[in-house]
Amino acid sequence: MKPKQIVIELCVLLAIYVLAFFCWPFLSGTIYGSMTLDINMHDTYFVMSVSPFQLLVLGTFSIFTTLIYFIRAIVTRYKNKIVNIVLITSDFLLIIMLIRIYRIVLLLEQTLDANAKSGWTIYPPLSALGNQSTEITRHPHFDSFMFIPITIFMLILVTSSIITGRNWKTSTHEQTIS
């Protein structure tokens, strides 16, 4: 691997990180002075700070890097070693991030289910309206929505690894004689 190519790839990765870093202040509203995310659900008011900012930037960086390097690997037909290594690494990081997000959302879902059964205030119906059903509405589970991207990125990881392994040419001093 040539040093010039390594420097170019590091500059591309730095540019992607800067894009992800400056993307989130616009999306989260910190440019306009709002440093919290307020969610009003039923009779509970959730206020979340923008503290996991680096986690959001890292997740956005891994998504951008995986998509850009996947396109670059397809265009070069997986012949560039550095592009393949960055693709495999960023895809693996993205899968770990997606699984972590999935676990956080499952925990939130379990909390909401527990609160729906015992904690949310269900007001009695008004007497003038007659009998109304006080049935709790169920929300669709997040499982079915999260398995699709995880599966897609795992397939990208496996195929990229297999094709990179096939195209990897070892030097004569790296080959083992058996």
Side-chain angles (χ1 to χ4, degrees):
M1 290 184 256
K2 298 178 183 177
K4 181 180 178 182
Q5 186 180 9
I6 293 173
V7 169
I8 290 171
E9 296 305 323
L10 287 176
C11 288
V12 168
L13 288 172
L14 182 67
I16 294 171
Y17 184 80
V18 167
L19 175 73
F21 185 80
F22 287 117
C23 172
W24 273 106
F26 288 107
L27 293 177
S28 63
T30 56
I31 295 291
Y32 305 112
S34 174
M35 295 296 290
T36 60
L37 177 65
D38 302 333
I39 302 172
N40 189 5
M41 294 178 64
H42 301 291
D43 61 346
T44 305
Y45 193 68
F46 296 101
V47 178
M48 292 184 248
S49 67
V50 190
S51 58
F53 182 72
Q54 276 307 109
L55 184 64
L56 294 174
V57 170
L58 189 62
T60 308
F61 171 73
S62 64
I63 289 171
F64 286 163
T65 306
T66 300
L67 295 177
I68 290 171
Y69 276 86
F70 182 61
I71 292 169
R72 287 184 67 187
I74 288 175
V75 168
T76 61
R77 295 189 178 141
Y78 289 94
K79 300 293 183 190
N80 193 341
K81 289 181 184 180
I82 295 177
V83 171
N84 296 344
I85 290 171
V86 171
L87 171 65
I88 290 171
T89 306
S90 65
D91 196 18
F92 184 70
L93 177 68
L94 180 62
I95 291 170
I96 290 173
M97 300 279 297
L98 286 175
I99 290 173
R100 193 167 176 193
I101 290 169
Y102 173 69
R103 290 182 62 203
I104 290 170
V105 170
L106 277 183
L107 182 67
L108 180 66
E109 227 179 37
Q110 289 172 355
T111 305
L112 289 176
D113 282 344
N115 286 339
K117 291 177 184 168
S118 63
W120 299 116
T121 304
I122 300 175
Y123 297 104
L126 299 173
S127 60
L129 297 176
N131 284 341
Q132 291 180 337
S133 63
T134 58
E135 191 175 306
I136 299 173
T137 58
R138 306 303 291 174
H139 56 279
H141 289 285
F142 193 67
D143 299 348
S144 58
F145 299 117
M146 202 60 191
F147 283 135
I148 294 170
I150 290 175
T151 305
I152 288 171
F153 287 116
M154 280 187 177
L155 288 173
I156 290 172
L157 178 67
V158 169
T159 55
S160 299
S161 300
I162 290 171
I163 295 172
T164 300
R166 283 187 187 161
N167 291 339
W168 198 274
K169 292 181 176 51
T170 57
S171 302
T172 55
H173 69 278
E174 293 176 352
Q175 296 175 354
T176 57
I177 301 174
S178 40

